Amino acid sequence: MKRIGLLLIVTLFASTVFSQVFNTGQTLKPKTFSVGIEPAILLNGNADFILFLHGGYGLTKGVDIGAKVGVLGGTNYFGADIEFAMGRQMSISFGAHDFGSFGLDGTFLATFPIRGDVRLYAGADADINFPGNDLSFLLWIPVGVEVGIKKSMSFIFEASIGLTQPAYHLIGAGVNFYL
């Protein structure tokens, strides 16, 4: 029964992530929730504002799911992913999003602990978007830092550098709460 439930959750989230990952290469502990808010600027020739609301849940050891909504920008963003740990400091995630067009997403992240409450992270993030009858491949390098403010709260700053056309650059910062 648990496998069927997990399959339903994965299917639900896979049918609903873009460059801004707002996440380190570590997964949430089982039965732990995360909630975050992140104002960001999308640099695509203009400077467009978008406000992201993030949520996550640790399913089992080394596996979590996440959802993201972006509002107040020119186009709303909806996305979700499932993340798998690859050791203590690395993860890979897969998901889908709608940001003007449907797309699939894959992200690899590695975390570099500086001290107990400060972690740098970087990796690669790729989207395959399906605008109309076309196909576009976008690639970014996300680079960020997470600073623990309290045991259940952290500040995250991230910049995603677009490498392919029509990938844009994105800069965001916000807080994440762990419940």
Side-chain angles (χ1 to χ4, degrees), residues 109-155:
L109 289 172
T111 302
F112 308 97
I114 302 300
R115 51 180 237 210
D117 58 349
V118 178
R119 291 171 288 287
L120 295 176
Y121 63 93
D125 184 60
D127 284 5
I128 300 173
N129 290 338
F130 303 94
N133 292 328
D134 293 332
L135 178 71
S136 63
F137 178 77
L138 293 82
L139 183 63
W140 293 268
I141 295 179
V143 178
V145 62
E146 179 181 44
V147 178
I149 298 171
K150 295 182 179 179
K151 182 175 177 147
S152 61
M153 181 179 168
S154 66
F155 172 79

mmCIF file of all heavy atoms in Angstrom, residues 109-155:
data_model
loop_
_atom_site.group_PDB
_atom_site.id
_atom_site.type_symbol
_atom_site.label_atom_id
_atom_site.label_comp_id
_atom_site.label_asym_id
_atom_site.label_seq_id
_atom_site.Cartn_x
_atom_site.Cartn_y
_atom_site.Cartn_z
ATOM 1 N N LEU A 109 22.827 18.496 -7.356
ATOM 2 C CA LEU A 109 23.413 19.463 -6.431
ATOM 3 C C LEU A 109 24.438 18.795 -5.528
ATOM 4 O O LEU A 109 24.246 17.657 -5.109
ATOM 5 C CB LEU A 109 22.333 20.087 -5.536
ATOM 6 C CG LEU A 109 21.370 21.044 -6.219
ATOM 7 C CD1 LEU A 109 20.257 21.431 -5.269
ATOM 8 C CD2 LEU A 109 22.105 22.280 -6.717
ATOM 9 N N ALA A 110 25.494 19.522 -5.234
ATOM 10 C CA ALA A 110 26.497 19.089 -4.252
ATOM 11 C C ALA A 110 26.619 20.186 -3.206
ATOM 12 O O ALA A 110 26.606 21.373 -3.532
ATOM 13 C CB ALA A 110 27.841 18.855 -4.922
ATOM 14 N N THR A 111 26.702 19.781 -1.945
ATOM 15 C CA THR A 111 26.805 20.712 -0.827
ATOM 16 C C THR A 111 28.208 20.651 -0.245
ATOM 17 O O THR A 111 28.789 19.579 -0.122
ATOM 18 C CB THR A 111 25.773 20.344 0.263
ATOM 19 O OG1 THR A 111 24.482 20.383 -0.321
ATOM 20 C CG2 THR A 111 25.834 21.307 1.424
ATOM 21 N N PHE A 112 28.723 21.817 0.129
ATOM 22 C CA PHE A 112 30.064 21.931 0.698
ATOM 23 C C PHE A 112 29.947 22.621 2.059
ATOM 24 O O PHE A 112 29.847 23.850 2.114
ATOM 25 C CB PHE A 112 30.976 22.725 -0.237
ATOM 26 C CG PHE A 112 30.964 22.195 -1.648
ATOM 27 C CD1 PHE A 112 30.144 22.777 -2.616
ATOM 28 C CD2 PHE A 112 31.731 21.097 -1.998
ATOM 29 C CE1 PHE A 112 30.116 22.280 -3.907
ATOM 30 C CE2 PHE A 112 31.712 20.598 -3.289
ATOM 31 C CZ PHE A 112 30.899 21.184 -4.252
ATOM 32 N N PRO A 113 29.922 21.848 3.148
ATOM 33 C CA PRO A 113 29.788 22.454 4.480
ATOM 34 C C PRO A 113 30.998 23.338 4.797
ATOM 35 O O PRO A 113 32.138 22.927 4.615
ATOM 36 C CB PRO A 113 29.738 21.259 5.419
ATOM 37 C CG PRO A 113 29.454 20.073 4.558
ATOM 38 C CD PRO A 113 29.980 20.385 3.205
ATOM 39 N N ILE A 114 30.720 24.544 5.250
ATOM 40 C CA ILE A 114 31.774 25.473 5.663
ATOM 41 C C ILE A 114 31.976 25.356 7.171
ATOM 42 O O ILE A 114 33.077 25.270 7.665
ATOM 43 C CB ILE A 114 31.416 26.923 5.285
ATOM 44 C CG1 ILE A 114 31.180 27.030 3.782
ATOM 45 C CG2 ILE A 114 32.483 27.896 5.766
ATOM 46 C CD1 ILE A 114 32.362 26.651 2.929
ATOM 47 N N ARG A 115 30.857 25.355 7.890
ATOM 48 C CA ARG A 115 30.823 25.073 9.315
ATOM 49 C C ARG A 115 29.414 24.571 9.614
ATOM 50 O O ARG A 115 28.601 24.460 8.697
ATOM 51 C CB ARG A 115 31.214 26.274 10.166
ATOM 52 C CG ARG A 115 30.478 27.548 9.849
ATOM 53 C CD ARG A 115 30.924 28.655 10.737
ATOM 54 N NE ARG A 115 29.734 29.162 11.413
ATOM 55 C CZ ARG A 115 29.578 30.388 11.808
ATOM 56 N NH1 ARG A 115 30.562 31.235 11.659
ATOM 57 N NH2 ARG A 115 28.486 30.775 12.388
ATOM 58 N N GLY A 116 29.086 24.264 10.839
ATOM 59 C CA GLY A 116 27.817 23.623 11.169
ATOM 60 C C GLY A 116 26.572 24.282 10.621
ATOM 61 O O GLY A 116 25.634 23.616 10.210
ATOM 62 N N ASP A 117 26.558 25.618 10.540
ATOM 63 C CA ASP A 117 25.349 26.307 10.113
ATOM 64 C C ASP A 117 25.495 27.055 8.788
ATOM 65 O O ASP A 117 24.629 27.833 8.415
ATOM 66 C CB ASP A 117 24.877 27.259 11.209
ATOM 67 C CG ASP A 117 25.948 28.281 11.582
ATOM 68 O OD1 ASP A 117 27.110 28.128 11.160
ATOM 69 O OD2 ASP A 117 25.617 29.239 12.309
ATOM 70 N N VAL A 118 26.584 26.831 8.058
ATOM 71 C CA VAL A 118 26.804 27.482 6.769
ATOM 72 C C VAL A 118 27.194 26.427 5.745
ATOM 73 O O VAL A 118 28.136 25.661 5.955
ATOM 74 C CB VAL A 118 27.917 28.563 6.853
ATOM 75 C CG1 VAL A 118 28.153 29.197 5.489
ATOM 76 C CG2 VAL A 118 27.564 29.617 7.886
ATOM 77 N N ARG A 119 26.462 26.397 4.632
ATOM 78 C CA ARG A 119 26.720 25.434 3.564
ATOM 79 C C ARG A 119 26.680 26.135 2.204
ATOM 80 O O ARG A 119 25.723 26.829 1.903
ATOM 81 C CB ARG A 119 25.666 24.321 3.591
ATOM 82 C CG ARG A 119 25.787 23.411 4.787
ATOM 83 C CD ARG A 119 24.626 22.452 4.909
ATOM 84 N NE ARG A 119 23.371 23.065 5.324
ATOM 85 C CZ ARG A 119 23.106 23.499 6.557
ATOM 86 N NH1 ARG A 119 24.013 23.415 7.492
ATOM 87 N NH2 ARG A 119 21.938 24.016 6.853
ATOM 88 N N LEU A 120 27.714 25.929 1.407
ATOM 89 C CA LEU A 120 27.703 26.357 0.009
ATOM 90 C C LEU A 120 27.192 25.198 -0.823
ATOM 91 O O LEU A 120 27.399 24.032 -0.478
ATOM 92 C CB LEU A 120 29.109 26.727 -0.455
ATOM 93 C CG LEU A 120 29.774 27.916 0.212
ATOM 94 C CD1 LEU A 120 31.200 28.063 -0.303
ATOM 95 C CD2 LEU A 120 28.984 29.185 -0.030
ATOM 96 N N TYR A 121 26.536 25.502 -1.939
ATOM 97 C CA TYR A 121 26.096 24.433 -2.828
ATOM 98 C C TYR A 121 26.153 24.914 -4.273
ATOM 99 O O TYR A 121 26.091 26.116 -4.557
ATOM 100 C CB TYR A 121 24.698 23.925 -2.468
ATOM 101 C CG TYR A 121 23.596 24.933 -2.598
ATOM 102 C CD1 TYR A 121 22.847 25.040 -3.768
ATOM 103 C CD2 TYR A 121 23.282 25.792 -1.552
ATOM 104 C CE1 TYR A 121 21.830 25.967 -3.892
ATOM 105 C CE2 TYR A 121 22.269 26.709 -1.659
ATOM 106 C CZ TYR A 121 21.540 26.805 -2.834
ATOM 107 O OH TYR A 121 20.532 27.723 -2.954
ATOM 108 N N ALA A 122 26.305 23.965 -5.162
ATOM 109 C CA ALA A 122 26.358 24.246 -6.599
ATOM 110 C C ALA A 122 26.002 22.971 -7.339
ATOM 111 O O ALA A 122 25.985 21.882 -6.760
ATOM 112 C CB ALA A 122 27.745 24.731 -7.006
ATOM 113 N N GLY A 123 25.729 23.107 -8.624
ATOM 114 C CA GLY A 123 25.395 21.929 -9.408
ATOM 115 C C GLY A 123 25.022 22.282 -10.827
ATOM 116 O O GLY A 123 25.556 23.239 -11.399
ATOM 117 N N ALA A 124 24.097 21.516 -11.359
ATOM 118 C CA ALA A 124 23.601 21.716 -12.718
ATOM 119 C C ALA A 124 22.094 21.503 -12.698
ATOM 120 O O ALA A 124 21.593 20.606 -12.024
ATOM 121 C CB ALA A 124 24.262 20.741 -13.685
ATOM 122 N N ASP A 125 21.384 22.352 -13.437
ATOM 123 C CA ASP A 125 19.932 22.263 -13.521
ATOM 124 C C ASP A 125 19.557 22.342 -14.996
ATOM 125 O O ASP A 125 20.037 23.228 -15.710
ATOM 126 C CB ASP A 125 19.281 23.395 -12.735
ATOM 127 C CG ASP A 125 17.774 23.280 -12.712
ATOM 128 O OD1 ASP A 125 17.279 22.257 -12.208
ATOM 129 O OD2 ASP A 125 17.090 24.191 -13.212
ATOM 130 N N ALA A 126 18.724 21.412 -15.449
ATOM 131 C CA ALA A 126 18.336 21.373 -16.855
ATOM 132 C C ALA A 126 16.824 21.271 -16.979
ATOM 133 O O ALA A 126 16.172 20.591 -16.193
ATOM 134 C CB ALA A 126 18.991 20.180 -17.552
ATOM 135 N N ASP A 127 16.286 21.976 -17.960
ATOM 136 C CA ASP A 127 14.869 21.900 -18.301
ATOM 137 C C ASP A 127 14.737 21.478 -19.750
ATOM 138 O O ASP A 127 15.518 21.906 -20.601
ATOM 139 C CB ASP A 127 14.181 23.262 -18.175
ATOM 140 C CG ASP A 127 13.898 23.673 -16.752
ATOM 141 O OD1 ASP A 127 14.306 22.951 -15.825
ATOM 142 O OD2 ASP A 127 13.265 24.730 -16.574
ATOM 143 N N ILE A 128 13.729 20.686 -20.007
ATOM 144 C CA ILE A 128 13.285 20.429 -21.374
ATOM 145 C C ILE A 128 11.870 20.983 -21.433
ATOM 146 O O ILE A 128 10.972 20.485 -20.755
ATOM 147 C CB ILE A 128 13.296 18.932 -21.720
ATOM 148 C CG1 ILE A 128 14.700 18.371 -21.587
ATOM 149 C CG2 ILE A 128 12.746 18.710 -23.130
ATOM 150 C CD1 ILE A 128 14.785 16.864 -21.750
ATOM 151 N N ASN A 129 11.693 22.068 -22.170
ATOM 152 C CA ASN A 129 10.397 22.728 -22.275
ATOM 153 C C ASN A 129 9.730 22.398 -23.600
ATOM 154 O O ASN A 129 10.403 22.169 -24.613
ATOM 155 C CB ASN A 129 10.551 24.243 -22.123
ATOM 156 C CG ASN A 129 10.907 24.640 -20.717
ATOM 157 O OD1 ASN A 129 10.665 23.895 -19.768
ATOM 158 N ND2 ASN A 129 11.481 25.816 -20.555
ATOM 159 N N PHE A 130 8.417 22.413 -23.581
ATOM 160 C CA PHE A 130 7.624 22.060 -24.748
ATOM 161 C C PHE A 130 6.686 23.205 -25.117
ATOM 162 O O PHE A 130 5.459 23.075 -25.022
ATOM 163 C CB PHE A 130 6.813 20.789 -24.451
ATOM 164 C CG PHE A 130 7.665 19.624 -24.033
ATOM 165 C CD1 PHE A 130 7.902 19.366 -22.685
ATOM 166 C CD2 PHE A 130 8.247 18.794 -24.973
ATOM 167 C CE1 PHE A 130 8.689 18.300 -22.285
ATOM 168 C CE2 PHE A 130 9.045 17.729 -24.587
ATOM 169 C CZ PHE A 130 9.262 17.478 -23.235
ATOM 170 N N PRO A 131 7.241 24.356 -25.563
ATOM 171 C CA PRO A 131 6.372 25.475 -25.952
ATOM 172 C C PRO A 131 5.719 25.199 -27.309
ATOM 173 O O PRO A 131 6.411 25.038 -28.309
ATOM 174 C CB PRO A 131 7.327 26.659 -26.022
ATOM 175 C CG PRO A 131 8.657 26.054 -26.323
ATOM 176 C CD PRO A 131 8.650 24.678 -25.691
ATOM 177 N N GLY A 132 4.386 25.118 -27.315
ATOM 178 C CA GLY A 132 3.675 24.817 -28.565
ATOM 179 C C GLY A 132 4.121 23.481 -29.117
ATOM 180 O O GLY A 132 4.124 22.472 -28.428
ATOM 181 N N ASN A 133 4.526 23.464 -30.374
ATOM 182 C CA ASN A 133 5.015 22.235 -31.018
ATOM 183 C C ASN A 133 6.536 22.185 -31.050
ATOM 184 O O ASN A 133 7.114 21.369 -31.751
ATOM 185 C CB ASN A 133 4.465 22.123 -32.440
ATOM 186 C CG ASN A 133 2.973 21.889 -32.438
ATOM 187 O OD1 ASN A 133 2.436 21.261 -31.524
ATOM 188 N ND2 ASN A 133 2.288 22.414 -33.444
ATOM 189 N N ASP A 134 7.188 23.074 -30.304
ATOM 190 C CA ASP A 134 8.644 23.149 -30.282
ATOM 191 C C ASP A 134 9.216 22.419 -29.070
ATOM 192 O O ASP A 134 8.492 21.949 -28.201
ATOM 193 C CB ASP A 134 9.109 24.611 -30.240
ATOM 194 C CG ASP A 134 8.783 25.359 -31.524
ATOM 195 O OD1 ASP A 134 8.711 24.710 -32.580
ATOM 196 O OD2 ASP A 134 8.609 26.581 -31.450
ATOM 197 N N LEU A 135 10.536 22.373 -29.022
ATOM 198 C CA LEU A 135 11.253 21.770 -27.904
ATOM 199 C C LEU A 135 12.448 22.676 -27.610
ATOM 200 O O LEU A 135 13.162 23.083 -28.527
ATOM 201 C CB LEU A 135 11.738 20.366 -28.302
ATOM 202 C CG LEU A 135 12.555 19.596 -27.289
ATOM 203 C CD1 LEU A 135 11.658 19.151 -26.130
ATOM 204 C CD2 LEU A 135 13.181 18.381 -27.943
ATOM 205 N N SER A 136 12.643 23.015 -26.337
ATOM 206 C CA SER A 136 13.821 23.814 -25.990
ATOM 207 C C SER A 136 14.529 23.178 -24.802
ATOM 208 O O SER A 136 13.891 22.621 -23.911
ATOM 209 C CB SER A 136 13.448 25.269 -25.689
ATOM 210 O OG SER A 136 12.598 25.357 -24.577
ATOM 211 N N PHE A 137 15.843 23.262 -24.814
ATOM 212 C CA PHE A 137 16.683 22.710 -23.754
ATOM 213 C C PHE A 137 17.393 23.868 -23.071
ATOM 214 O O PHE A 137 18.101 24.630 -23.717
ATOM 215 C CB PHE A 137 17.700 21.729 -24.346
ATOM 216 C CG PHE A 137 18.623 21.151 -23.312
ATOM 217 C CD1 PHE A 137 18.189 20.152 -22.454
ATOM 218 C CD2 PHE A 137 19.925 21.620 -23.189
ATOM 219 C CE1 PHE A 137 19.029 19.621 -21.493
ATOM 220 C CE2 PHE A 137 20.779 21.096 -22.239
ATOM 221 C CZ PHE A 137 20.327 20.087 -21.381
ATOM 222 N N LEU A 138 17.174 24.013 -21.769
ATOM 223 C CA LEU A 138 17.771 25.092 -21.003
ATOM 224 C C LEU A 138 18.686 24.501 -19.942
ATOM 225 O O LEU A 138 18.343 23.486 -19.328
ATOM 226 C CB LEU A 138 16.697 25.942 -20.331
ATOM 227 C CG LEU A 138 15.793 26.742 -21.275
ATOM 228 C CD1 LEU A 138 14.678 25.885 -21.822
ATOM 229 C CD2 LEU A 138 15.212 27.919 -20.535
ATOM 230 N N LEU A 139 19.825 25.135 -19.727
ATOM 231 C CA LEU A 139 20.800 24.640 -18.758
ATOM 232 C C LEU A 139 21.290 25.805 -17.901
ATOM 233 O O LEU A 139 21.589 26.882 -18.420
ATOM 234 C CB LEU A 139 21.986 23.994 -19.483
ATOM 235 C CG LEU A 139 23.071 23.363 -18.634
ATOM 236 C CD1 LEU A 139 22.519 22.197 -17.813
ATOM 237 C CD2 LEU A 139 24.212 22.880 -19.519
ATOM 238 N N TRP A 140 21.354 25.577 -16.578
ATOM 239 C CA TRP A 140 21.832 26.566 -15.621
ATOM 240 C C TRP A 140 22.865 25.945 -14.695
ATOM 241 O O TRP A 140 22.866 24.741 -14.492
ATOM 242 C CB TRP A 140 20.703 27.068 -14.713
ATOM 243 C CG TRP A 140 19.650 27.863 -15.361
ATOM 244 C CD1 TRP A 140 19.600 29.224 -15.502
ATOM 245 C CD2 TRP A 140 18.437 27.373 -15.918
ATOM 246 N NE1 TRP A 140 18.431 29.589 -16.109
ATOM 247 C CE2 TRP A 140 17.694 28.477 -16.381
ATOM 248 C CE3 TRP A 140 17.893 26.098 -16.078
ATOM 249 C CZ2 TRP A 140 16.454 28.341 -16.977
ATOM 250 C CZ3 TRP A 140 16.655 25.968 -16.691
ATOM 251 C CH2 TRP A 140 15.954 27.086 -17.130
ATOM 252 N N ILE A 141 23.659 26.816 -14.091
ATOM 253 C CA ILE A 141 24.507 26.435 -12.965
ATOM 254 C C ILE A 141 23.993 27.209 -11.753
ATOM 255 O O ILE A 141 24.172 28.432 -11.675
ATOM 256 C CB ILE A 141 25.992 26.757 -13.215
ATOM 257 C CG1 ILE A 141 26.520 25.923 -14.363
ATOM 258 C CG2 ILE A 141 26.803 26.526 -11.937
ATOM 259 C CD1 ILE A 141 27.966 26.182 -14.717
ATOM 260 N N PRO A 142 23.319 26.513 -10.825
ATOM 261 C CA PRO A 142 22.906 27.194 -9.598
ATOM 262 C C PRO A 142 24.050 27.200 -8.588
ATOM 263 O O PRO A 142 24.748 26.201 -8.419
ATOM 264 C CB PRO A 142 21.730 26.340 -9.096
ATOM 265 C CG PRO A 142 21.973 24.984 -9.663
ATOM 266 C CD PRO A 142 22.755 25.171 -10.940
ATOM 267 N N VAL A 143 24.248 28.345 -7.939
ATOM 268 C CA VAL A 143 25.271 28.499 -6.916
ATOM 269 C C VAL A 143 24.603 29.220 -5.751
ATOM 270 O O VAL A 143 23.957 30.252 -5.945
ATOM 271 C CB VAL A 143 26.467 29.332 -7.422
ATOM 272 C CG1 VAL A 143 27.501 29.538 -6.326
ATOM 273 C CG2 VAL A 143 27.079 28.699 -8.648
ATOM 274 N N GLY A 144 24.748 28.667 -4.541
ATOM 275 C CA GLY A 144 24.071 29.300 -3.421
ATOM 276 C C GLY A 144 24.755 29.051 -2.098
ATOM 277 O O GLY A 144 25.712 28.289 -1.995
ATOM 278 N N VAL A 145 24.212 29.708 -1.091
ATOM 279 C CA VAL A 145 24.676 29.536 0.276
ATOM 280 C C VAL A 145 23.445 29.463 1.177
ATOM 281 O O VAL A 145 22.481 30.193 0.988
ATOM 282 C CB VAL A 145 25.630 30.679 0.714
ATOM 283 C CG1 VAL A 145 24.950 32.037 0.686
ATOM 284 C CG2 VAL A 145 26.222 30.395 2.083
ATOM 285 N N GLU A 146 23.494 28.531 2.132
ATOM 286 C CA GLU A 146 22.456 28.416 3.141
ATOM 287 C C GLU A 146 23.095 28.700 4.495
ATOM 288 O O GLU A 146 24.110 28.098 4.836
ATOM 289 C CB GLU A 146 21.830 27.017 3.147
ATOM 290 C CG GLU A 146 20.748 26.876 4.207
ATOM 291 C CD GLU A 146 20.138 25.487 4.255
ATOM 292 O OE1 GLU A 146 20.897 24.500 4.189
ATOM 293 O OE2 GLU A 146 18.909 25.405 4.354
ATOM 294 N N VAL A 147 22.495 29.626 5.243
ATOM 295 C CA VAL A 147 23.011 30.006 6.555
ATOM 296 C C VAL A 147 21.930 29.712 7.588
ATOM 297 O O VAL A 147 20.819 30.251 7.499
ATOM 298 C CB VAL A 147 23.387 31.504 6.595
ATOM 299 C CG1 VAL A 147 23.886 31.901 7.985
ATOM 300 C CG2 VAL A 147 24.413 31.829 5.529
ATOM 301 N N GLY A 148 22.252 28.858 8.541
ATOM 302 C CA GLY A 148 21.308 28.554 9.603
ATOM 303 C C GLY A 148 21.149 29.738 10.535
ATOM 304 O O GLY A 148 22.132 30.270 11.045
ATOM 305 N N ILE A 149 19.911 30.178 10.732
ATOM 306 C CA ILE A 149 19.635 31.289 11.638
ATOM 307 C C ILE A 149 19.245 30.738 13.004
ATOM 308 O O ILE A 149 19.701 31.216 14.031
ATOM 309 C CB ILE A 149 18.526 32.188 11.066
ATOM 310 C CG1 ILE A 149 18.992 32.787 9.740
ATOM 311 C CG2 ILE A 149 18.138 33.279 12.062
ATOM 312 C CD1 ILE A 149 17.921 33.507 8.970
ATOM 313 N N LYS A 150 18.389 29.750 12.988
ATOM 314 C CA LYS A 150 17.974 29.003 14.173
ATOM 315 C C LYS A 150 17.961 27.540 13.765
ATOM 316 O O LYS A 150 18.111 27.215 12.593
ATOM 317 C CB LYS A 150 16.578 29.418 14.629
ATOM 318 C CG LYS A 150 16.466 30.841 15.118
ATOM 319 C CD LYS A 150 15.047 31.113 15.574
ATOM 320 C CE LYS A 150 14.913 32.526 16.085
ATOM 321 N NZ LYS A 150 13.554 32.821 16.518
ATOM 322 N N LYS A 151 17.722 26.661 14.725
ATOM 323 C CA LYS A 151 17.704 25.237 14.401
ATOM 324 C C LYS A 151 16.649 24.912 13.339
ATOM 325 O O LYS A 151 16.860 24.055 12.490
ATOM 326 C CB LYS A 151 17.454 24.415 15.662
ATOM 327 C CG LYS A 151 17.471 22.936 15.410
ATOM 328 C CD LYS A 151 17.338 22.139 16.668
ATOM 329 C CE LYS A 151 17.295 20.671 16.275
ATOM 330 N NZ LYS A 151 17.892 19.808 17.233
ATOM 331 N N SER A 152 15.537 25.618 13.344
ATOM 332 C CA SER A 152 14.449 25.316 12.413
ATOM 333 C C SER A 152 14.257 26.401 11.351
ATOM 334 O O SER A 152 13.209 26.479 10.715
ATOM 335 C CB SER A 152 13.147 25.124 13.195
ATOM 336 O OG SER A 152 12.823 26.316 13.887
ATOM 337 N N MET A 153 15.288 27.232 11.111
ATOM 338 C CA MET A 153 15.157 28.321 10.139
ATOM 339 C C MET A 153 16.500 28.593 9.484
ATOM 340 O O MET A 153 17.541 28.597 10.142
ATOM 341 C CB MET A 153 14.663 29.575 10.860
ATOM 342 C CG MET A 153 14.468 30.763 9.999
ATOM 343 S SD MET A 153 13.857 32.113 11.067
ATOM 344 C CE MET A 153 14.021 33.473 9.970
ATOM 345 N N SER A 154 16.475 28.821 8.170
ATOM 346 C CA SER A 154 17.712 29.180 7.478
ATOM 347 C C SER A 154 17.443 30.247 6.429
ATOM 348 O O SER A 154 16.328 30.401 5.934
ATOM 349 C CB SER A 154 18.347 27.944 6.825
ATOM 350 O OG SER A 154 17.543 27.451 5.790
ATOM 351 N N PHE A 155 18.495 30.980 6.106
ATOM 352 C CA PHE A 155 18.474 31.982 5.046
ATOM 353 C C PHE A 155 19.184 31.364 3.851
ATOM 354 O O PHE A 155 20.260 30.776 3.993
ATOM 355 C CB PHE A 155 19.207 33.246 5.496
ATOM 356 C CG PHE A 155 19.384 34.255 4.395
ATOM 357 C CD1 PHE A 155 18.338 35.074 4.021
ATOM 358 C CD2 PHE A 155 20.591 34.363 3.734
ATOM 359 C CE1 PHE A 155 18.499 36.010 3.000
ATOM 360 C CE2 PHE A 155 20.768 35.286 2.711
ATOM 361 C CZ PHE A 155 19.715 36.114 2.348
#
